[in-house]
Amino acid sequence: MDFATLIGFIAGVAIFLWAMISGSGGDVGGFWDTPSFVMVIGGGIATTLLSVKMNRFLGLMGICKNALFNKNRPADEMIKQFVKLADISRREGVLALQNQVAGIESKFVANALQLVIDGTDPEIVKQTMEYEIMAIDARHAEGKQVLDLLGKYAPAYGMIGTLIGLVIMLQNMDDPKKIGPGMAVALLTTMYGAVMANMVCLPLADKLNNTHSSEMLNLTIAQAGIAGLQAGENPRMLESKLMVFLSPGARAAGVKAA
């Protein structure tokens, strides 16, 4: 988990708890209502199940883990790796890259490099990589959709709970003692839905989206790097070509480090 995620989560929870404790004088029991909690969480999960396949929903924990702990390799390191491979290929030949395959962490790069070593036609290598990128993109979109749906339906159930609470309250206008519980249901369901959507589901979905963008950039760099290797490009020329994927600041830092 990177520091931004950790700081953001702790700060968000701390602000929420501080507001409840300071506003209630320490009596936070009034912020808990089991039926409201069950309605929002259970309703959000149930409706999400209606929308997606079971296996996709059961992969939710893995999706959350990817959103929180998946750290993509920095793009500049990926470029350095391809420059090194191009240098080996240029000095010792493509077959010398076989010794490097086992040490490559990315299966995407390792599989593509193996195709190059095996003498596969460049067009087939390119198509294979494009198909894999499309498959990865589709898997990520499916995973993000589960979090998006939970973030969408939880507040909706909060609103439904609010209506139920208002009905309960209006039915008991002649009994002041029953107005309070009805109002509590009305407000707490809305709060639970907002908390689940805005403190959990939607931030995780956005984090997953950022991780996805970073991984797509690495895959695009890898695709260009493999094409350059197969074409026998000069390592420096290949480096210049791949550096265009970096921001101006990252390019300057890379040149300075070199």
Side-chain angles (χ1 to χ4, degrees), residues 9-94:
F9 179 74
I10 292 175
V13 172
I15 290 170
F16 179 67
L17 292 176
W18 171 77
M20 286 198 304
I21 294 172
S22 63
S24 64
D27 183 16
V28 295
F31 289 96
W32 180 256
D33 183 68
T34 300
S36 299
F37 181 82
V38 171
M39 179 167 187
V40 171
I41 304 300
I45 291 173
T47 307
T48 300
L49 279 170
L50 279 173
S51 306
V52 300
K53 293 180 178 178
M54 179 61 81
N55 60 343
R56 195 187 302 178
F57 182 82
L58 292 178
L60 181 61
M61 292 306 295
I63 295 167
C64 293
K65 182 181 175 184
N66 284 336
L68 293 173
F69 298 103
N70 186 23
K71 287 187 69 176
N72 289 312
R73 189 176 187 183
D76 59 334
E77 289 186 13
M78 177 82 76
I79 293 173
K80 289 175 184 175
Q81 181 182 50
F82 276 104
V83 172
K84 178 184 174 185
L85 292 172
D87 187 50
I88 293 172
S89 176
R90 196 171 180 81
R91 285 188 290 104
E92 305 174 29
V94 174

Side-chain angles (χ1 to χ4, degrees), residues 1 35 50 72 77 93 116 185 200 250:
M1 182 184 292
L50 279 173
N72 289 312
E77 289 186 13
V116 173
V185 170
V200 181

Side-chain angles (χ1 to χ4, degrees), residues 108-109 111-116 119-135 219-220 222-231:
F108 178 79
V109 175
N111 291 339
L113 186 60
Q114 188 62 57
L115 290 175
V116 173
T120 308
D121 184 83
E123 189 60 28
I124 295 176
V125 175
K126 180 183 176 185
Q127 281 187 355
T128 303
M129 297 183 81
E130 286 177 349
Y131 292 157
E132 189 162 353
I133 289 174
M134 290 169 60
L219 295 181
T220 304
Q223 190 178 22
I226 288 293
L229 278 176
Q230 200 162 20

